[in-house]
């Protein structure tokens, strides 16, 4: 295991069958489906633990109810405690303050960790038919925190602002290249896309992402946030994650007007292989 190589479902090859193991509990994993990249129900390929080893605890194991429907307050609290469920009640409006002697890169990740016991409370609904909700502390408030340890977060369930229920991150992420004119989501969503152009305006910056069904897609950001995140023209080719509403505004050009510091972040290149 010490000489093992970390792979994503997309990198799986048939000769790897029987030689893929969980990085945490070290039990064998299988790929579903074994050959195709998409199942018949449109879910993307993924690794799963084998039932033979279900008696061995692993925080990366996803049960049928984990992150989707919770039937009791105890079940929700346990999912949060085990980091199977991550709560986001809102996005941080401004970045953390910089103290003298702080390293900027370390600061950003250190102060946006998933665990934040003092975070504001968020209402989490239980199983849809009950109508009951549970108040729990919000765990993160920045897309940057999702990008941190993205290889683990991709397997967790997330409850986003304005969500009706929690969903696994892999099923929530939406590639902007797939956006179509007649099917733009009406509510906020977590998107990702590759940067193809960057423009600095007098009051706003614009990040252009690669799309297939539109001339272009514009993500409007604040210069002071881009500077802090180190997003500039040299970021072309990188993958951007952002949460927001994409609209056309009658121009035929989709765009998203970000307002908060926490709404967007660059994804570290080593995690791009985990994108659905």
């Amino acid at each position: 295991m010490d000489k093992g190589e970390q792979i994503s479902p997309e990198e799986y090859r048939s000769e790897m069958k029987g030689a893929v193991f969980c990085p945490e509990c070290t039990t064998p994993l299988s790929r579903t489906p074994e050959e195709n990249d998409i199942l018949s129900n449109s879910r993307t390929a993924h690794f799963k633990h084998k039932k033979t080893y279900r008696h061995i605890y692993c925080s990366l194991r996803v049960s049928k109810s984990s992150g989707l429907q919770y039937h009791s307050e105890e079940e929700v609290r346990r999912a949060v405690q085990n980091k199977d469920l991550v709560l986001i009640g809102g996005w941080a409006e401004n970045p953390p303050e910089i103290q003298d002697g702080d390293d900027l890169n370390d600061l950003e990740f250190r102060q946006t960790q998933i665990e934040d016991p003092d975070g504001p409370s968020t209402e989490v609904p239980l199983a849809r038919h009950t109508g009951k909700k549970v108040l729990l502390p919000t765990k993160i408030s920045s897309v940057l925190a999702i990008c941190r340890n993205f290889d683990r977060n991709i397997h967790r369930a997330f409850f986003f602002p304005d969500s009706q229920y929690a969903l696994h991150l892999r099923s929530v992420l939406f590639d902007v290249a797939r956006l179509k004119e007649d099917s733009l989501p009406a509510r906020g969503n977590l998107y990702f896309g590759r940067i193809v152009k960057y423009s600095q305006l007098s009051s706003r910056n614009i990040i252009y992402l690669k799309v297939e069904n539109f001339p272009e897609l514009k993500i409007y950001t604040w210069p002071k946030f881009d500077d802090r995140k180190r997003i500039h023209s040299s970021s072309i080719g990188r993958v951007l994650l952002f949460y927001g509403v994409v609209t056309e505004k009658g121009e035929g050009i989709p765009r998203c007007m970000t307002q908060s510091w926490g709404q967007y972040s660059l994804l570290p290149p080593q995690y791009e292989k985990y994108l659905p």
Side-chain angles (χ1 to χ4, degrees):
M1 294 295 291
D2 292 338
K3 297 182 180 179
E5 178 184 352
Q6 193 175 49
I7 66 166
S8 67
E10 292 73 23
E11 296 174 309
Y12 177 85
R13 301 185 301 275
S14 58
E15 57 265 30
M16 295 180 181
K17 185 175 182 178
V20 179
F21 301 88
C22 174
E24 180 174 309
C25 66
T26 70
T27 62
L29 301 176
S30 61
R31 185 185 190 268
T32 302
E34 186 173 341
E35 296 182 356
N36 299 327
D37 290 330
I38 301 178
L39 290 102
S40 57
N41 61 359
S42 297
R43 290 184 61 196
T44 54
H46 58 278
F47 291 122
K48 68 177 183 179
H49 290 75
K50 294 186 177 181
K51 294 182 180 180
T52 308
Y53 302 93
R54 59 176 173 264
H55 62 285
I56 299 177
Y57 172 78
C58 180
S59 67
L60 299 181
R61 189 189 303 274
V62 177
S63 64
K64 290 183 178 180
S65 62
S66 178
L68 298 176
Q69 292 192 45
Y70 299 97
H71 299 277
S72 68
E73 181 175 346
E74 179 183 359
E75 190 176 353
V76 179
R77 292 185 182 278
R78 184 167 59 250
V80 172
Q81 184 177 5
N82 293 338
K83 298 182 180 179
D84 295 327
L85 172 63
V86 181
L87 309 180
I88 306 175
W91 303 109
E93 293 186 8
N94 296 292
E97 295 183 1
I98 300 176
Q99 305 295 330
D100 291 340
D102 270 333
D103 176 81
L104 183 58
N105 284 329
D106 178 63
L107 177 77
E108 306 304 355
F109 286 99
R110 178 161 44 84
Q111 295 202 15
T112 51
Q113 294 182 9
I114 289 179
E115 290 297 332
D116 181 9
D118 298 322
S121 295
T122 299
E123 282 190 336
V124 182
L126 298 182
R128 302 175 206 177
H129 63 275
T130 65
K132 296 182 179 179
K133 296 183 179 181
V134 178
L135 276 175
L136 290 173
T138 294
K139 291 302 178 182
I140 68 173
S141 58
S142 171
V143 172
L144 175 61
I146 298 176
C147 294
R148 178 182 181 271
N149 294 329
F150 187 78
D151 55 338
R152 288 181 176 269
N153 288 332
I154 194 68
H155 303 293
R156 294 184 170 121
F158 281 74
F159 184 81
F160 289 96
D162 304 322
S163 296
Q164 294 180 330
Y165 44 85
L167 291 170
H168 293 117
L169 185 61
R170 178 175 284 273
S171 66
V172 173
L173 278 166
F174 195 100
D175 186 351
V176 296
R178 296 169 44 213
L179 286 172
K180 296 182 180 180
E181 184 176 357
D182 58 349
S183 60
L184 289 177
R187 59 194 310 160
N189 199 75
L190 184 63
Y191 296 95
F192 70 92
R194 197 167 296 278
I195 300 174
V196 294
K197 182 181 176 182
Y198 184 81
S199 296
Q200 293 178 299
L201 306 180
S202 57
S203 60
R204 284 279 217 168
N205 291 340
I206 303 179
I207 301 174
Y208 296 81
L209 301 182
K210 182 180 179 180
V211 289
E212 297 177 357
N213 302 304
F214 296 94
E216 57 189 14
L217 168 62
K218 300 178 180 180
I219 311 301
Y220 286 79
T221 58
W222 295 110
K224 62 178 181 179
F225 293 159
D226 285 359
D227 290 343
R228 181 73 178 267
K229 295 172 185 289
R230 298 184 178 179
I231 298 177
H232 32 63
S233 57
S234 64
S235 301
I236 293 174
R238 295 283 301 276
V239 170
L240 182 82
L241 263 68
F242 69 97
Y243 188 95
V245 179
V246 176
T247 62
E248 289 187 71
K249 294 294 183 181
E251 302 174 359
I253 304 295
R255 65 180 183 178
C256 176
M257 308 292 292
T258 67
Q259 299 295 338
S260 304
W261 151 262
Q263 278 185 263
Y264 65 104
S265 175
L266 291 175
L267 180 70
Q270 67 267 29
Y271 294 143
E272 290 182 11
K273 63 183 181 181
Y274 294 100
L275 291 168

